[in-house]
Amino acid sequence: MYHYSDFDTDFLNSRNAQFRAQVERRIDGSLTEDEFKPLRLMNGLYLQLHAYMLRVAIPYGTLNSRQMERLADIADKWDKGYGHFTTRQNIQYNWPELRDVPDMLDALAEVDMHAIQTSGNTIRNVTADHFAGAAADEVADPRPIAELIRQWSTDHPEFQFLPRKFKVAVSGAAADRAVIKAHDIGLRIVKRDDEIGYEVIIGGGLGRTPMIGKVLYDFVSAEDLLPTLEAIVSVYNLLGRRDNKYKARIKITVHENGIEDIRARVDARYALIRPQFTGVDQQMLSRIEADFAAPKFLKGNLSPFQTAYEQDPVFRSWADTNLSTHRNPDYAIVSISLKAHGKTPGDASSRQMRLMAALAKRYGHDELRISHEQNVILPHVHKGDLPSIFYALNAEGLGTANIGLISDIIACPGMDYCALATARSIPIAQEIATRFDELKLEHEVGPLKIKISGCINACGHHHVGHIGILGLDRAGIENYQITLGGDGTEDAHIGERAGPGFSAEEIIPAVERIVMAYLELRAEPTETFLTTFRRLGLAPFKAALYPEAHANAA
Amino acid sequence: MPKPFTPKVITANALLEGDVVYLTATGWTRDLAEADVLTDEADADLRMIEASAQVDKVVGVYLADVTLDGTTPTPTHFREDFRATGPSNYAHGKQETAKQEQI
């Protein structure tokens, strides 16, 4: 993986020293909150409902064991012994004190990590497919270009005050595991006549006006990508609306001006700035690519895996649910669920973080990933080591076999932490998971993605959940709206609103009615929820959700 | 006719810890039960000005609605309920330490 150059380290140290001085000036009263707020946000520090929150970037979701251990140390020393992994491959600490934050940032810098541009109207943490470099279906590893984009966008002088925040995601495979069509810019690595290039998608986003991204260019060659991105953000910087926060994202700019108009503007801007890109970026990219060379895969004994698989049904269930196909047939990609039934989605204790770091070091070529679905991945594991890994994980509450199932729920922090939230999301996720665990139905139900947001900003991706839940404040009472049929993959689709919302007490039985209806309606056990929904549409699910309205109409 | 003034407390977050605090007659408390309940609009306006000026102690000062049960204020909105108690997934924040010192 990428190791910081002296330039990176010097930059980060001087930036942290600047922020330390800014914090001191806030505490001694030389800076007002109005002056300090933009400075703290630039460094990932929010003030939330009960405390400050520090959001740390995990670029393209990649960590080594040393970094994961450091995240655990920070949780113990300056927080409450845990961290929360988010849908944008960040980790959030919910309880830091203002005075400690500069020390936390210095501790991060020692392991090549930072919280820069995890807030504010800037280019945010660049995210990528969490199976990058390991997936069998990959055209190329998306992380080198993601790292180049991180370097280009960090402290980019032209893009520190964009009309609104700006999110970039990269996928190296046709199967989209990075929700690229719901990003301001989504990049997909493609191959054309043996040449590697990029499909460039812009104007996707969730929030109050959800939109699926549109293809701006179907193929941009590698050396033209950075100037193309610069041209896009530059056009948006001028054209994006600054009069209305709710219309400021590039999705609205694209929607209001049309993709052809935007393309013409980007083409013109590109022609103007292209000569400034003299190829230095490509030299840097090739150095970065060397850092991301695949590990030396081992040839080992596969029999421990086969034996455990045949003899231990608990291991078998986990292996069937939490493993994905690696490009090396002797290897597997391990998804570690941070969704134990009844626990907070995406939370890991410092103990759990240290265990995952240790397993990565011992068995996983020292690599870990954070997925946008709030789980942790060991991308390169020899199959012979899988039983040892599973038993170690299981002993620390990390052995839940539910990846892609109904209890593998995305949930934003909601009103338990977030100052913007209009309702809670975490308890709803906890109760749904607990309920379906009691019913012992989730493996029978099969692939089903529930995504919960505690406000219209949609950090919980509810629009692209097979079942989406949006928590709102209706006259001072928490109310939950259901959308159905959303999809965050390459077939991205915004879910349809099912009807009137439900109270916190009603929402769990409502979800249960949808799932029971699906079990009745599916053509065969292998037909997934999403396929059944697409075949039948909203009507039969609506009938199950609102039996009284249905009875009255009949 | 203007709406009658309903009881309120002045609340904010502590600058150093970020913790939720409420204005009292003498300073700030972390416990809603100890907050000064304001029932007069002119008085509330004045106290808001005083509270907002304490930029070295607190951030984001505002008035929050409460109802009075005897002399004990109770939030009218669930958001203020969470602020007064802490998150529901862990017994963190105000649930950890029943009584905390004033700032």
Side-chain angles (χ1 to χ4, degrees):
Chain A
M1 59 185 289
Y2 181 73
H3 293 285
Y4 275 18
S5 64
D6 290 346
F7 176 86
D8 295 316
T9 306
D10 292 347
F11 165 74
L12 192 48
N13 289 340
S14 70
R15 172 76 173 238
N16 284 351
Q18 262 177 20
F19 187 58
R20 183 178 290 278
Q22 289 158 356
V23 169
E24 279 164 17
R25 292 205 297 283
R26 175 68 184 100
I27 292 174
D28 76 17
S30 331
L31 286 176
T32 65
E33 186 59 21
D34 285 348
E35 288 164 334
F36 180 62
K37 189 177 175 185
L39 302 173
R40 70 167 158 79
L41 290 178
M42 275 179 207
N43 293 285
L45 186 64
Y46 287 73
L47 182 53
Q48 294 286 30
L49 218 51
H50 316 290
Y52 286 96
M53 180 272 279
L54 182 66
R55 179 183 292 157
V56 177
I58 300 169
Y60 35 90
T62 294
L63 290 169
N64 60 28
S65 61
R66 188 164 163 254
Q67 291 172 320
M68 185 64 117
E69 281 163 11
R70 183 55 60 95
L71 295 179
D73 296 343
I74 288 170
D76 281 340
K77 188 162 181 188
W78 293 293
D79 207 88
K80 294 189 188 291
Y82 77 101
H84 175 76
F85 293 102
T86 78
T87 53
R88 292 218 76 257
Q89 297 177 323
N90 298 301
I91 182 170
Q92 295 183 172
Y93 293 106
N94 287 324
W95 302 95
E97 294 193 6
L98 180 57
R99 247 185 240 290
D100 294 333
V101 174
D103 290 342
M104 295 169 82
L105 294 177
D106 284 348
L108 288 165
E110 285 170 10
V111 295
D112 297 358
M113 294 184 77
H114 63 71
I116 296 170
Q117 289 176 213
T118 58
S119 178
N121 294 333
T122 55
I123 299 174
R124 301 287 189 90
N125 185 31
V126 181
T127 55
D129 182 350
H130 44 272
F131 291 170
D137 61 352
E138 191 170 86
V139 175
D141 188 338
R143 292 172 301 158
I145 193 67
E147 172 58 26
L148 188 71
I149 295 169
R150 186 192 72 84
Q151 296 189 16
W152 161 80
S153 62
T154 300
D155 215 26
H156 190 303
E158 195 179 325
F159 303 143
Q160 292 302 298
F161 298 94
L162 294 170
R164 199 75 181 81
K165 59 186 163 184
F166 202 91
K167 302 176 181 177
V168 182
V170 196
S171 167
D176 178 9
R177 291 174 285 261
V179 212
I180 62 171
K181 289 181 179 169
H183 279 76
D184 297 282
I185 293 181
L187 299 174
R188 187 165 68 92
I189 303 179
V190 289
K191 207 173 219 178
R192 195 176 68 181
D193 306 328
D194 280 340
E195 189 197 350
I196 294 282
Y198 300 88
E199 181 185 45
V200 178
I201 296 163
I202 66 166
L206 301 174
R208 73 181 55 220
T209 319
M211 298 215 184
I212 300 298
K214 299 173 179 71
V215 176
L216 183 66
Y217 301 112
D218 56 14
F219 189 91
V220 172
S221 63
E223 66 271 21
D224 295 334
L225 185 67
L226 218 48
T228 302
L229 296 181
E230 180 136 327
I232 294 167
V233 185
S234 168
V235 164
Y236 164 64
N237 200 11
L238 280 180
L239 193 61
R241 289 180 57 172
R242 290 169 192 268
D243 62 320
N244 182 340
K245 187 179 167 182
Y246 302 123
K247 296 190 172 176
R249 294 290 288 270
I250 194 175
K251 63 189 171 186
I252 306 292
T253 320
V254 172
H255 181 73
E256 288 185 345
N257 294 277
I259 189 79
E260 287 78 20
D261 175 81
I262 299 291
R263 191 178 294 120
R265 289 172 193 263
V266 173
D267 285 347
R269 181 73 188 160
Y270 175 85
L272 197 69
I273 64 171
R274 183 64 184 88
Q276 296 168 13
F277 289 77
T278 55
V280 175
D281 59 311
Q282 291 305 293
Q283 291 166 19
M284 291 175 74
L285 180 61
S286 61
R287 280 205 298 273
I288 294 168
E289 277 168 346
D291 272 356
F292 286 100
K296 290 202 169 41
F297 295 122
L298 308 169
K299 282 297 230 182
N301 182 7
L302 294 170
S303 63
F305 172 68
Q306 284 145 1
T307 310
Y309 192 84
E310 281 158 22
Q311 293 177 356
D312 181 354
V314 182
F315 174 76
R316 185 159 62 240
S317 169
W318 177 80
D320 286 343
T321 312
N322 291 33
L323 301 182
S324 305
T325 311
H326 195 278
R327 63 197 178 99
N328 181 322
D330 287 353
Y331 271 65
I333 303 171
V334 174
S335 292
I336 303 171
S337 171
L338 296 185
K339 316 289 177 68
H341 301 109
K343 302 287 186 192
T344 303
D347 278 12
S349 69
S350 55
R351 237 179 113 99
Q352 291 176 324
M353 289 186 223
R354 286 197 185 93
L355 172 69
M356 294 187 281
L359 293 174
K361 202 170 186 173
R362 178 154 177 204
Y363 302 111
H365 298 273
D366 207 30
E367 277 203 40
L368 297 131
R369 306 287 168 71
I370 307 305
S371 76
H372 82 270
E373 291 179 319
Q374 302 178 284
N375 293 311
V376 177
I377 316 295
L378 299 175
H380 307 295
V381 174
H382 189 272
K383 285 181 182 167
D385 295 327
L386 288 168
S388 308
I389 288 176
F390 170 69
Y391 296 121
L393 289 171
N394 211 24
E396 284 293 343
L398 291 168
T400 313
N402 65 347
I403 296 296
L405 302 181
I406 195 166
S407 60
D408 183 9
I409 299 170
I410 289 184
C412 72
M415 203 179 268
D416 285 306
Y417 297 91
C418 180
L420 299 174
T422 44
R424 288 174 298 169
S425 0
I426 291 168
I428 305 301
Q430 291 172 310
E431 286 171 38
I432 292 172
T434 305
R435 177 65 184 148
F436 280 89
D437 191 38
E438 284 164 4
L439 293 171
K440 295 291 166 219
L441 261 182
E442 65 177 328
H443 289 268
E444 168 71 22
V445 171
L448 206 173
K449 290 181 192 292
I450 297 185
K451 300 180 198 278
I452 309 174
S453 304
C455 83
I456 192 82
N457 294 316
C459 295
H461 294 187
H462 65 276
H463 296 297
V464 293
H466 302 165
I467 300 176
I469 300 175
L470 166 62
L472 295 169
D473 173 354
R474 283 275 176 268
I477 294 166
E478 288 169 295
N479 187 273
Y480 295 90
Q481 267 178 18
I482 290 180
T483 52
L484 294 172
D487 181 0
T489 69
E490 60 280 8
D491 305 316
H493 192 78
I494 304 296
E496 283 177 72
R497 206 181 130 187
F502 297 90
S503 70
E505 292 73 35
E506 293 166 341
I507 185 70
I508 314 298
V511 170
E512 200 174 319
R513 289 201 294 282
I514 297 169
V515 175
M516 294 306 167
Y518 154 67
L519 290 175
E520 286 287 316
L521 291 163
R522 66 183 176 187
E524 53 191 8
T526 54
E527 190 182 59
T528 63
F529 176 86
L530 193 57
T531 312
T532 305
F533 181 85
R534 284 180 179 158
R535 179 168 59 81
L536 296 173
L538 185 61
F541 293 96
K542 203 167 170 165
L545 257 182
Y546 305 100
E548 281 175 23
H550 188 65
N552 292 342
Chain B
M1 207 175 95
K3 279 204 328 203
F5 187 78
T6 52
K8 291 178 178 40
V9 294
I10 292 179
T11 182
N13 291 79
L15 171 66
L16 295 180
E17 301 87 6
D19 193 12
V20 174
V21 292
Y22 303 94
L23 193 70
T24 67
T26 53
W28 296 89
T29 174
R30 294 165 198 275
D31 184 357
L32 175 60
E34 295 172 0
D36 247 10
V37 179
L38 311 173
T39 50
D40 178 81
E41 190 166 8
D43 180 42
D45 288 346
L46 199 64
R47 299 291 299 278
M48 268 298 284
I49 293 169
E50 287 168 17
S52 305
Q54 299 183 38
V55 292
D56 56 336
K57 285 187 179 162
V58 293
V59 181
V61 180
Y62 66 94
L63 287 163
D65 282 307
V66 291
T67 52
L68 272 175
D69 179 14
T71 54
T72 312
T74 313
T76 59
H77 194 277
F78 62 91
R79 186 177 194 272
E80 291 304 323
D81 247 339
F82 293 130
R83 289 183 77 245
T85 44
S88 50
N89 60 334
Y90 303 114
H92 284 162
K94 293 187 188 301
Q95 301 154 99
E96 273 176 311
T97 37
K99 190 87 178 168
Q100 289 159 317
E101 78 236 51
Q102 296 208 342
I103 59 168

